[in-house]
Amino acid sequence: MRKSRSCYKLTDFEADTVLALSTVCNKITLSRIHLDKVIFLEILLFLNNNIIWGIPMLSLMVFTGAFFSVKTRFFQVRKFPEVLKSTVFSKRENRSENQSTPFEAMCQALAATLGTGNIAGVGTALCVGGAGAVFWMWVCSVLGMMTGFAENVLGFLYRKRDKNGEWRGGAMYYIQGGLSKRRRTRKIARPLALIYALLCTLAGFGMGNAAQMNSAAQSLRISFGIPAVVTGIVLAGLAAAVIFGGKKRVWSFCSKIVPIMSGFYIIGSLYIIIKNFSNIPSAAAYIFKDAFGFSQIGGGIFGSAVKTAVSVGFKRGAFSNEAGLGTSVFAHTQSSVKSAKVCGMWSIFEIFFDTLVMCTLTAFVLLSGKCTLPAAKDALSSVAPGTSYFLITDSERIINEGVELTEKIRCISVYGEEFYVSAPKGVSYSNIYEISAEFSDGKVISSQINAVSGAGLANFAFSGAFGKPASGILAILTSMFAFSTVIGWAGFGGEAVSFLFGERAVVPFRVVFTAFSVIGAVIDLRTAWAVSDLFNGLMALPNLIAVLILSKEVISSVRAQDTVSDRP
């Protein structure tokens, strides 16, 4: 027979002591986790700003675009009417059994690039780099047109048919095929191609997934209060329905969704710009002054502010149009395009439309737009539970000329309690800030202040022009952009995985890729962008090296009077 065990009952003092110790331990654990996240983010930012996207990488991107521009006598400018005639204004072709049409290929490439980089990316660039970042995005675009042209010419020349008669292509094919033909680069051809394919796969999880889903989740949270995890689950499910339908479903989806969402966004943006047309001249002047440091806080044309504007402009430009990354090659090499030269022309138009049209529209919407929010002194003197937004300066403009907050900001809660909040470090050009506070028994237990950036700024711009419902419409539109990018990148990543591990690895990749959308929706926005920038830069390096080594083949295709016939 078992003896019953007596239970020791804690006294009230002992119970309170245990509870207090448990609370302290939990706070220490949470603080440690927060500290680890901060350290991880700071390491990523250091790598991106000083190494991956430092002067060497920026110089390589500028040099590559400038090299092909000079060698072809600025083909992208000189022959732009011919580019339009040979691409969007050319006769539409019917899709063959194993190939997409050139228009479908362009839509897939644009689906991958017309993501939140055009909305959230521009907003982030303006907040971090100021209006001058827009100018450097334009420079990145004009030079990047010829980089993209070169990538797609090489992609066409080195694509291959598989056993099913389908085209296989991507930057790794011309890296391996082109470099292996040269004695000095023969040994590094295969390893460099494998490295590129691996980095492309990883970039798909960052640029093509996490950053997109995160921006969509942020927009839907601000507009509708939808939890980020819900957004991630719903969009992941919808993405799976398209991705697992195969290439033809992806081609069909992209060719329908891209014109629709682009059209809506262009019409809405033009309305805001026309409504605030009186602010356009000052916005344009601000872009050029800020690009060269004439309106920067630190002064000096070679100051850190200019360096930041250049770096951020090129990073966001590369993120948006992906010139130098070799990603559009995946789409165009699977199409029925008949010549290498025309294949490259499609890339020129894509980059023009993506950056010089879509990103420029967003930039002028944010630089000319206004919003009506409480002033900082009013918002911070009556802080309520939850999240509230306010203007950091006296201006109603969405972007300011740069503000650096003090380390501690004095606030007063709606219950009369005085408390201090740590301000984000560094200069921010966003004029809209948010303060989030959590209360318990009328006392503040946690609070933080952050500058609103990314897609959140566009939400305020559209709601300021169209009224509150417009914010919801833009949030849905942003989610469509993000969703289409995930679809496009699922195809790109699948091709890279197939090159690495064979066709049998594609389905497992799709499963992991769609599931990762949920994680991407809930991680920190700055972390999502930092990871994206990291893999973007790493992926660009082997691609740009190969493109420069194979430059003679590109230049000869421009100069050729006859088109290159399609190879069986």
Side-chain angles (χ1 to χ4, degrees), residues 352-555:
F352 164 79
F353 183 76
D354 180 271
T355 307
L356 293 184
V357 176
M358 299 295 281
C359 287
T360 300
L361 285 174
T362 303
F364 277 103
V365 163
L366 298 181
L367 289 170
S368 66
K370 298 179 180 179
C371 67
T372 304
L373 287 172
K377 61 180 181 180
D378 297 326
L380 300 180
S381 61
S382 58
V383 179
T387 301
S388 55
Y389 301 90
F390 60 92
L391 298 173
I392 199 67
T393 70
D394 295 332
S395 172
E396 291 185 344
R397 301 285 278 268
I398 293 173
I399 301 296
N400 61 52
E401 294 191 6
V403 172
E404 187 167 13
L405 303 180
T406 56
E407 291 186 5
K408 296 286 185 178
I409 299 177
R410 178 178 174 272
C411 304
I412 300 175
S413 74
V414 290
Y415 303 106
E417 179 189 3
E418 181 179 332
F419 62 99
Y420 289 83
V421 184
S422 297
K425 295 181 180 179
V427 177
S428 175
Y429 297 86
S430 173
N431 200 32
I432 303 175
Y433 276 67
E434 64 177 7
I435 180 168
S436 302
E438 186 178 348
F439 289 72
S440 178
D441 297 329
K443 293 186 178 295
V444 178
I445 57 175
S446 67
S447 59
Q448 60 178 354
I449 290 179
N450 289 303
V452 175
S453 64
L457 290 178
N459 281 336
F460 282 107
F462 272 73
S463 60
F466 294 99
K468 194 172 182 179
S471 175
I473 295 173
L474 181 66
I476 295 173
L477 195 58
T478 301
S479 300
M480 290 173 64
F481 276 111
F483 182 71
S484 68
T485 300
V486 172
I487 298 300
W489 262 94
F492 299 167
E495 288 295 317
V497 167
S498 176
F499 183 84
L500 287 168
F501 308 109
E503 189 65 23
R504 62 183 180 182
V506 173
V507 172
F509 164 78
R510 290 173 179 170
V511 173
V512 176
F513 187 82
T514 52
F516 189 78
S517 298
V518 182
I519 299 174
V522 299
I523 64 175
D524 177 67
L525 179 63
R526 292 180 67 200
T527 303
W529 285 106
V531 171
S532 300
D533 288 339
L534 177 68
F535 289 123
N536 282 2
L538 291 174
M539 188 169 68
L541 186 59
N543 178 61
L544 291 174
I545 291 173
V547 168
L548 286 171
I549 292 174
L550 302 173
S551 59
K552 288 185 178 180
E553 297 182 51
V554 176
I555 295 168

Side-chain angles (χ1 to χ4, degrees), residues 116 149 276:
T116 54
F149 177 90
N276 299 309

